[in-house]
Amino acid sequence: MEQWTLNTLEYHQVVELVKHRASSEPGREWLDGLVPSDDPEEVKRRLQAVAEGMDVLRLKGEVPLSGIRDIRTALKRAELGGMLDEADCLDVASTVSAGRKVKSLMKRIAEEQASLPLLRDLVGGIESLDKLEQALTEAIDENGTVRDQASPELHAIRRQLDRVRRDIQETLQRMIRDPRIVKMLQEPIITQRQDRYCLPVKQEYRASFGGIVHDQSSSGATLFIEPQSVVLLNNRLRELELAERKEVEKVLARLTSLVSDETEPLRENLRRLAELDAVMAKARFGSDFNGVCPDVSDRMELRLKKARHPLIPRDRVVPIDVEMGTRWRAIIITGPNTGGKTVTLKTIGLFALMTQSGIPIPADEGSMLPVYSGVLADIGDEQSIEQNLSTFSGHMKNIIRIIERLDERSLVMFDELGAGTDPTEGAALAIAILEHAIARGSSVVATTHYSELKEFAHTHPQAVNASVEFDEETLRPTYRLLVGVPGRSNAFAIASRLGLSTDIINAAKSRISADEQRLEEMIASLGEERRLAEEERRNMEQLRREAERWHEELEKKRLSWEEEKEKMREKARQEARAIVQKARREAEEVLKELREWARQKPQDLKEHQLTEAKKRLEEAIPSWEKNRANARATAADTNISVGDEVRVLTVNQKGTVVEALPGDEFQVQIGVLKMKVHRDRLEKLKQPKKRTEPKGSTSIHRTGPSVRPELDLRGMMVDEAIPEIDRYLDQAILSGYKQVHLIHGKGTGALRAGVQEFLRRHRAVKSYRLGAHGEGGSGVTVVELR
């Protein structure tokens, strides 16, 4: 990009805003060298990196980069054999620590939260230098002082230094507390001169006090004397200080050697950290200005949504919408002075430069820009007194320079094209320049006052008129860009509002040609239609927002209703489970009693006992089960007759109808039991078969068993066999068996073990054993029932 274009579009001011958000000097230096790129892939990479940086800010709030220091000079000195001082070592440790913290932060961001491929690759190349960092931080504290623990020798020397300083202090303290000596002192304090501990002695006591004079006050009234009693101690202190400095230098030499061994990794780490700092500075700029990383168009399409110039205060900037490249390649902006034409021009050009530098633009999502080969701008008054150039000459000098450089991927911007010369010639020249730029395939944005350029934009297939809105009521611009509507000069309206005579205004209008009057009328008509359309759009937008609000409220209510419905379902499920469990317990008790009656004296079981048990079973059935039973009975063939095989729903047992009774009741035989059951409690299982059953007493009596005395379990798994055994034992008891055989085969013995384990815990089993020689041996278990 040309430097004069960057200056014209105030690109460097925006970069300064970004630099203020960098955390380190290397990061700011990286941004100093930032220039727009004309490589589409590089631009996409820059924007993606910054978009990832904005994701990191959203997820983590901040990135720990403040510890980065510019250590390049220190690394160079270490390479050349020089010695680093404490501050240099501390800067190296701080930079290594910053790299470690950044790597740790990136590891804490899960791939599911944000993939961050570019930033992970950038940070992944930072080499971990934990041993170097540890060595530096163990030797030097955060204040830049070599620690006592840096070497055993240094620790010993400093212990001696502390002891000698304490002895000097104690000696001098005793002296200033001595009344004989205090009268000789100007003040009872201990001071230092030339790194020696002294006392301030009055001039007249010089001879009587004794010692070495190291300094005197400006008036000469006070002498700073080192008492003879501490001379040897001061000498010892100085020797230890020199030894301490020598040992500190040894420590620093050792640390310098460690740094020298890692200069290349340190340089690479610093480069990556500086680049990361620059990326995060751009990301912070984007967050602070509500910016976005625009899409990059491969077809030279520009679309800005609610674009806001970053150098205009936020409470004053007016967003603009611009599209170019799809239907037209040139936009001709007209309108009054100070109406915002030049700001629009600069916004478009500046956003192109920011995009190609990877800086987020203050605009809404969905904005898109192409990658221009060059952004070429002629904006402002380029008059040069030194070169004796007029305004027109200054503009033409720039235009010639632009024409020499433009191509099919250029963005060209002309401010007040053709101004500064004869209007007729200026308009003709402006049209010729625009036609040339459009013919070369360049994207063009131009501002003008010439009506001829409005006509050109109206008739050219690749150009469109635009204007900055002007409020005739307040005589103030609104700074809103209206694409598709040419601007009016508004000279007559302004003059009329300001009080110019109507006669003069009419006389002026009469001097305008009919074609120009029709053009102005057309522009006024278009402006009014645009105003009405804009008002209608605002109304529709309000209605849309209202509809969205209603939709949101309805959706909330729907979700609340779904949640309430689910709660009700869960409550119903819990209540149903409780009822079913209660019904199951009651049914088990009834069946237990029936089994006990059948086992003890089935022939003595009375009808009233059966009726009572039947009633208890019916009461145990949950209401929805009764309804379900009724529905099944209705759905099935309800034409039940004697001999039909049915299921008695109240006890979930199969039986045979032996007699039809009045009131839709039937007598059903289940094993050795007979019971009266209503039609609603029966489910027909198969076609009736002819069978004759005697009609007799209502007492229950034994008939031939309908269950075989053995159960074949061969081929089953233990989990499959257990439920079958449980059902079979119930039926065997109801059939009056005292002993049954369970055939499980020999095999691996697993089925036999599972069966016998179940029998051991079964309530109806009295005992069990393996079959005898004639009963099947170990392939059969013989069960004695209670």
Side-chain angles (χ1 to χ4, degrees), residues 330-583:
I331 300 178
I332 311 302
I333 306 173
T334 51
N337 290 327
T338 70
K341 298 192 303 296
T342 302
V343 171
T344 298
L345 216 61
K346 286 188 173 183
T347 301
I348 296 170
L350 179 60
F351 276 26
L353 298 176
M354 290 171 65
T355 297
Q356 293 177 216
S357 300
I359 301 175
I361 59 173
D364 285 1
E365 292 287 349
S367 296
M368 173 189 293
L369 287 100
V371 176
Y372 296 108
S373 61
V375 178
L376 309 170
D378 172 46
I379 299 175
D381 187 355
E382 296 294 333
Q383 182 172 346
S384 171
I385 297 176
E386 291 182 5
Q387 299 181 35
N388 194 26
L389 296 174
S390 65
T391 299
F392 177 75
S393 299
H395 279 296
M396 286 309 303
K397 181 174 176 291
N398 273 343
I399 290 170
I400 292 169
R401 184 165 49 180
I402 289 171
I403 290 175
E404 290 174 349
R405 289 168 173 77
L406 62 81
D407 58 27
E408 69 279 358
R409 290 180 54 227
S410 298
L411 173 61
V412 183
M413 290 174 290
F414 299 112
D415 190 23
E416 299 297 347
L417 184 59
T421 187
D422 176 75
T424 302
E425 293 182 358
L429 190 58
I431 291 172
I433 293 170
L434 290 174
E435 286 180 333
H436 175 79
I438 295 172
R440 292 286 301 273
S442 300
S443 300
V444 183
V445 185
T447 68
T448 184
H449 283 289
Y450 293 146
S451 298
E452 291 87 347
L453 268 66
K454 300 176 189 177
E455 294 179 20
F456 167 79
H458 184 68
T459 57
H460 197 286
Q462 290 185 289
V464 65
N465 272 302
S467 60
V468 286
E469 193 177 49
F470 186 82
D471 190 340
E472 294 185 9
E473 296 295 327
T474 62
L475 301 181
R476 292 179 179 274
T478 66
Y479 303 105
R480 294 175 61 238
L481 182 68
L482 306 177
V483 178
V485 179
R488 301 175 61 191
S489 65
N490 296 296
F492 294 149
I494 294 173
S496 177
R497 291 286 182 185
L498 293 176
L500 187 63
S501 167
T502 305
D503 293 338
I504 297 175
I505 292 173
N506 290 335
K509 287 182 178 179
S510 67
R511 295 182 178 276
I512 297 177
S513 68
D515 289 341
E516 290 178 337
Q517 286 187 12
R518 282 196 298 272
L519 178 61
E520 287 297 317
E521 290 171 1
M522 178 192 72
I523 293 172
S525 175
L526 285 172
E528 181 62 18
E529 289 178 4
R530 176 62 181 258
R531 187 187 64 79
L532 294 174
E534 196 66 23
E535 185 176 341
E536 185 67 22
R537 187 192 64 79
R538 284 195 295 268
N539 292 336
M540 293 300 294
E541 185 69 20
Q542 184 176 351
L543 290 173
R544 184 185 65 79
R545 285 195 298 269
E546 203 168 309
E548 287 178 351
R549 182 174 58 81
W550 278 105
H551 174 73
E552 187 176 343
E553 289 182 5
L554 289 172
E555 184 65 15
K556 286 180 181 177
K557 289 181 179 178
R558 185 187 70 80
L559 293 174
S560 176
W561 180 79
E562 288 288 346
E563 186 177 347
E564 186 65 26
K565 185 170 70 172
E566 184 58 32
K567 288 180 181 178
M568 293 173 66
R569 284 176 178 169
E570 182 59 28
K571 183 179 179 182
R573 280 193 289 268
Q574 292 175 358
E575 292 176 352
R577 279 194 292 269
I579 294 171
V580 169
Q581 289 172 358
K582 179 182 177 183

Side-chain angles (χ1 to χ4, degrees), residues 597 604-614 661 667 674-676 697-700:
W597 292 340
D604 295 336
L605 191 59
K606 302 301 182 183
E607 180 67 24
H608 71 87
Q609 291 175 312
L610 184 60
T611 303
E612 183 180 347
K614 172 186 171 184
L661 301 175
Q667 191 171 65
K674 286 184 180 179
M675 56 192 304
K676 286 193 293 186
S697 162
T698 58
S699 63
I700 299 176

